[in-house]
Amino acid sequence: MYYKLENGNFVGFYEQKDKDGDYTEISLEDWQAVLNKQSEGEVIFYNAKTKKLETIKLGKFETFDGTKVSTDTQALKKSILSELSELKTEFATKEFVFKDIYLQKNRDVDKANLTSIVVMLNAMKQTAFKNWKFKDLNGSDVYANLSIVDMLTMAGIMQSQTTNTLIAESTLISKLEDLSVEELLAFDSEAEFKALLGLWLWKYIFIR
Protein backbone atom coordinates (compact mmCIF):
# COMPACT_ATOMS: atom_id res chain seq x y z
CA MET A 1 0.00 0.00 0.00
CA TYR A 2 1.23 3.50 -0.85
CA TYR A 3 0.20 7.08 -0.19
CA LYS A 4 0.77 9.88 -2.64
CA LEU A 5 1.92 13.44 -2.04
CA GLU A 6 1.49 16.46 -4.27
CA ASN A 7 3.37 19.62 -3.33
CA GLY A 8 3.95 18.08 0.07
CA ASN A 9 0.25 17.40 0.68
CA PHE A 10 -1.44 14.03 1.12
CA VAL A 11 -3.82 13.24 -1.77
CA GLY A 12 -4.75 9.58 -1.29
CA PHE A 13 -3.89 5.89 -0.92
CA TYR A 14 -2.97 3.59 -3.81
CA GLU A 15 -2.37 -0.13 -4.07
CA GLN A 16 0.28 0.47 -6.68
CA LYS A 17 2.44 3.45 -7.53
CA ASP A 18 2.68 5.00 -10.95
CA LYS A 19 5.86 5.96 -12.68
CA ASP A 20 5.20 9.60 -12.01
CA GLY A 21 4.41 11.11 -8.62
CA ASP A 22 5.72 11.07 -5.08
CA TYR A 23 4.67 7.75 -3.52
CA THR A 24 5.62 6.39 -0.12
CA GLU A 25 5.01 2.87 1.07
CA ILE A 26 2.91 2.41 4.20
CA SER A 27 2.35 -0.75 6.20
CA LEU A 28 -1.12 -2.23 6.31
CA GLU A 29 -1.14 -1.75 10.06
CA ASP A 30 -0.35 1.98 9.81
CA TRP A 31 -2.75 2.36 6.88
CA GLN A 32 -5.59 0.79 8.89
CA ALA A 33 -4.79 2.93 11.94
CA VAL A 34 -5.01 6.11 9.85
CA LEU A 35 -8.28 4.99 8.24
CA ASN A 36 -9.75 4.29 11.67
CA LYS A 37 -8.96 7.85 12.72
CA GLN A 38 -10.48 9.16 9.49
CA SER A 39 -13.68 7.18 10.16
CA GLU A 40 -13.90 9.00 13.50
CA GLY A 41 -13.97 12.34 11.68
CA GLU A 42 -10.30 13.22 11.71
CA VAL A 43 -8.47 14.61 8.68
CA ILE A 44 -5.40 12.89 7.24
CA PHE A 45 -2.36 15.05 6.49
CA TYR A 46 1.35 14.65 5.83
CA ASN A 47 3.58 16.03 8.58
CA ALA A 48 6.73 17.29 6.86
CA LYS A 49 8.63 17.38 10.17
CA THR A 50 8.00 13.76 11.16
CA LYS A 51 7.69 12.67 7.51
CA LYS A 52 4.65 10.59 8.43
CA LEU A 53 0.93 10.60 7.86
CA GLU A 54 -0.95 11.95 10.84
CA THR A 55 -4.52 12.94 11.61
CA ILE A 56 -6.12 15.97 13.19
CA LYS A 57 -9.61 16.62 14.58
CA LEU A 58 -11.11 19.81 13.19
CA GLY A 59 -13.87 21.78 14.79
CA LYS A 60 -16.88 23.09 12.91
CA PHE A 61 -15.82 25.68 10.28
CA GLU A 62 -12.13 24.84 10.77
CA THR A 63 -9.83 24.08 7.84
CA PHE A 64 -6.31 22.70 7.74
CA ASP A 65 -3.73 23.41 5.03
CA GLY A 66 -1.21 20.87 6.24
CA THR A 67 0.58 23.27 8.56
CA LYS A 68 -2.00 25.29 10.47
CA VAL A 69 -5.63 25.26 11.47
CA SER A 70 -7.75 28.26 10.50
CA THR A 71 -11.43 29.22 10.53
CA ASP A 72 -13.39 29.32 7.28
CA THR A 73 -15.00 32.68 7.97
CA GLN A 74 -17.07 32.62 4.79
CA ALA A 75 -18.66 29.28 5.72
CA LEU A 76 -19.18 30.54 9.28
CA LYS A 77 -20.89 33.73 8.09
CA LYS A 78 -23.01 31.76 5.63
CA SER A 79 -24.20 29.54 8.48
CA ILE A 80 -25.07 32.55 10.65
CA LEU A 81 -26.92 34.22 7.75
CA SER A 82 -28.94 31.04 7.31
CA GLU A 83 -29.80 31.03 11.03
CA LEU A 84 -30.88 34.68 10.86
CA SER A 85 -33.08 34.01 7.84
CA GLU A 86 -34.78 31.14 9.67
CA LEU A 87 -35.27 33.29 12.78
CA LYS A 88 -36.77 36.08 10.68
CA THR A 89 -39.32 33.66 9.23
CA GLU A 90 -40.02 32.11 12.64
CA PHE A 91 -40.65 35.38 14.46
CA ALA A 92 -42.39 37.12 11.55
CA THR A 93 -45.06 34.39 11.44
CA LYS A 94 -45.13 33.49 15.13
CA GLU A 95 -48.41 33.58 17.05
CA PHE A 96 -49.05 36.82 18.87
CA VAL A 97 -51.44 37.48 21.76
CA PHE A 98 -54.49 39.56 20.95
CA LYS A 99 -56.73 41.02 23.68
CA ASP A 100 -54.80 38.93 26.22
CA ILE A 101 -56.83 35.79 25.45
CA TYR A 102 -56.47 34.98 21.75
CA LEU A 103 -53.58 33.66 19.68
CA GLN A 104 -53.24 34.83 16.09
CA LYS A 105 -50.63 33.73 13.55
CA ASN A 106 -49.05 36.26 11.23
CA ARG A 107 -49.00 34.31 7.99
CA ASP A 108 -49.48 35.87 4.56
CA VAL A 109 -52.83 34.12 4.24
CA ASP A 110 -54.00 35.63 7.55
CA LYS A 111 -53.01 39.13 6.48
CA ALA A 112 -54.70 38.69 3.10
CA ASN A 113 -57.92 37.45 4.72
CA LEU A 114 -57.92 40.32 7.18
CA THR A 115 -57.46 42.90 4.43
CA SER A 116 -60.22 41.38 2.29
CA ILE A 117 -62.67 41.35 5.20
CA VAL A 118 -61.99 44.98 6.12
CA VAL A 119 -62.51 46.03 2.49
CA MET A 120 -65.75 44.02 2.35
CA LEU A 121 -67.07 45.51 5.60
CA ASN A 122 -66.37 49.03 4.41
CA ALA A 123 -68.03 48.35 1.07
CA MET A 124 -71.11 46.95 2.79
CA LYS A 125 -71.05 49.69 5.44
CA GLN A 126 -70.83 47.13 8.22
CA THR A 127 -68.81 47.55 11.39
CA ALA A 128 -68.24 44.00 12.61
CA PHE A 129 -67.22 40.54 11.43
CA LYS A 130 -68.60 37.43 13.05
CA ASN A 131 -66.72 34.26 13.97
CA TRP A 132 -63.09 35.09 13.25
CA LYS A 133 -61.14 31.96 14.10
CA PHE A 134 -58.48 32.23 16.81
CA LYS A 135 -56.68 29.83 19.11
CA ASP A 136 -56.98 30.27 22.84
CA LEU A 137 -53.92 30.25 25.08
CA ASN A 138 -54.22 26.47 25.36
CA GLY A 139 -54.18 26.04 21.57
CA SER A 140 -57.87 25.19 21.13
CA ASP A 141 -59.99 26.73 18.36
CA VAL A 142 -62.24 29.60 19.42
CA TYR A 143 -64.38 32.04 17.44
CA ALA A 144 -64.91 35.71 18.21
CA ASN A 145 -66.74 38.68 16.75
CA LEU A 146 -64.44 41.53 15.74
CA SER A 147 -65.13 45.17 15.07
CA ILE A 148 -63.34 47.02 12.28
CA VAL A 149 -61.27 48.70 14.99
CA ASP A 150 -60.27 45.27 16.31
CA MET A 151 -59.27 44.15 12.85
CA LEU A 152 -57.26 47.30 12.15
CA THR A 153 -55.53 46.90 15.50
CA MET A 154 -54.68 43.31 14.64
CA ALA A 155 -53.40 44.38 11.21
CA GLY A 156 -51.18 46.96 12.90
CA ILE A 157 -49.66 44.31 15.15
CA MET A 158 -49.06 42.07 12.14
CA GLN A 159 -47.31 44.85 10.24
CA SER A 160 -45.25 45.77 13.28
CA GLN A 161 -44.25 42.14 13.76
CA THR A 162 -43.14 41.80 10.14
CA THR A 163 -41.28 45.12 10.14
CA ASN A 164 -39.48 44.46 13.42
CA THR A 165 -38.22 41.07 12.32
CA LEU A 166 -36.97 42.46 8.99
CA ILE A 167 -35.15 45.27 10.80
CA ALA A 168 -33.65 42.81 13.28
CA GLU A 169 -32.31 40.59 10.49
CA SER A 170 -30.86 43.54 8.54
CA THR A 171 -29.24 45.01 11.66
CA LEU A 172 -27.57 41.73 12.57
CA ILE A 173 -26.37 41.12 9.01
CA SER A 174 -24.63 44.51 9.11
CA LYS A 175 -23.21 43.73 12.54
CA LEU A 176 -21.50 40.58 11.26
CA GLU A 177 -19.19 42.62 9.04
CA ASP A 178 -17.48 44.21 12.04
CA LEU A 179 -17.02 41.07 14.14
CA SER A 180 -13.72 39.27 14.63
CA VAL A 181 -13.39 35.54 14.01
CA GLU A 182 -13.64 34.91 17.75
CA GLU A 183 -16.81 37.01 17.98
CA LEU A 184 -18.33 35.23 14.98
CA LEU A 185 -17.66 31.86 16.60
CA ALA A 186 -19.37 33.03 19.80
CA PHE A 187 -22.29 34.69 17.97
CA ASP A 188 -25.65 33.49 19.33
CA SER A 189 -28.13 34.25 16.55
CA GLU A 190 -31.27 33.59 18.58
CA ALA A 191 -30.14 35.60 21.60
CA GLU A 192 -29.09 38.51 19.38
CA PHE A 193 -32.41 38.39 17.52
CA LYS A 194 -34.47 38.35 20.71
CA ALA A 195 -32.39 41.19 22.18
CA LEU A 196 -33.20 43.42 19.20
CA LEU A 197 -36.90 42.60 19.31
CA GLY A 198 -36.79 43.42 22.99
CA LEU A 199 -39.92 44.65 24.72
CA TRP A 200 -41.98 44.28 21.56
CA LEU A 201 -41.31 40.54 21.60
CA TRP A 202 -42.41 40.07 25.19
CA LYS A 203 -45.45 42.31 24.78
CA TYR A 204 -47.00 40.51 21.84
CA ILE A 205 -45.39 37.14 21.13
CA PHE A 206 -46.77 34.09 22.84
CA ILE A 207 -43.96 31.93 24.27
CA ARG A 208 -44.94 28.42 25.27
Side-chain angles (χ1 to χ4, degrees), residues 3-14:
Y3 63 85
K4 184 179 180 181
L5 302 177
E6 289 183 1
N7 299 319
N9 295 317
F10 168 76
V11 295
F13 293 108
Y14 299 83

Side-chain angles (χ1 to χ4, degrees), residues 52-66:
K52 292 181 179 180
L53 290 184
E54 297 181 7
T55 60
I56 185 172
K57 185 75 171 180
L58 297 177
K60 192 176 183 181
F61 307 116
E62 286 185 335
T63 61
F64 183 65
D65 64 3

Side-chain angles (χ1 to χ4, degrees), residues 98-99 114 127 145-156:
F98 185 64
K99 289 191 170 183
L114 194 61
T127 59
N145 297 336
L146 299 177
S147 67
I148 287 184
V149 173
D150 289 332
M151 303 191 85
L152 291 176
T153 300
M154 199 156 61

Side-chain angles (χ1 to χ4, degrees), residues 83-97:
E83 291 175 353
L84 293 178
S85 179
E86 291 175 1
L87 286 166
K88 175 195 67 178
T89 300
E90 176 186 348
F91 283 103
T93 60
K94 205 172 185 67
E95 295 169 325
F96 61 87
V97 179

Side-chain angles (χ1 to χ4, degrees), residues 21-74:
D22 183 2
Y23 291 86
T24 300
E25 189 171 8
I26 182 173
S27 69
L28 291 177
E29 182 180 1
D30 289 343
W31 172 65
Q32 188 61 58
V34 171
L35 289 183
N36 288 340
K37 289 291 187 180
Q38 185 183 46
S39 69
E40 295 172 358
E42 298 192 15
V43 175
I44 302 172
F45 73 99
Y46 178 71
N47 189 325
K49 293 182 179 180
T50 63
K51 299 187 182 303
K52 292 181 179 180
L53 290 184
E54 297 181 7
T55 60
I56 185 172
K57 185 75 171 180
L58 297 177
K60 192 176 183 181
F61 307 116
E62 286 185 335
T63 61
F64 183 65
D65 64 3
T67 57
K68 65 177 181 179
V69 175
S70 58
T71 300
D72 186 341
T73 54
Q74 292 305 311

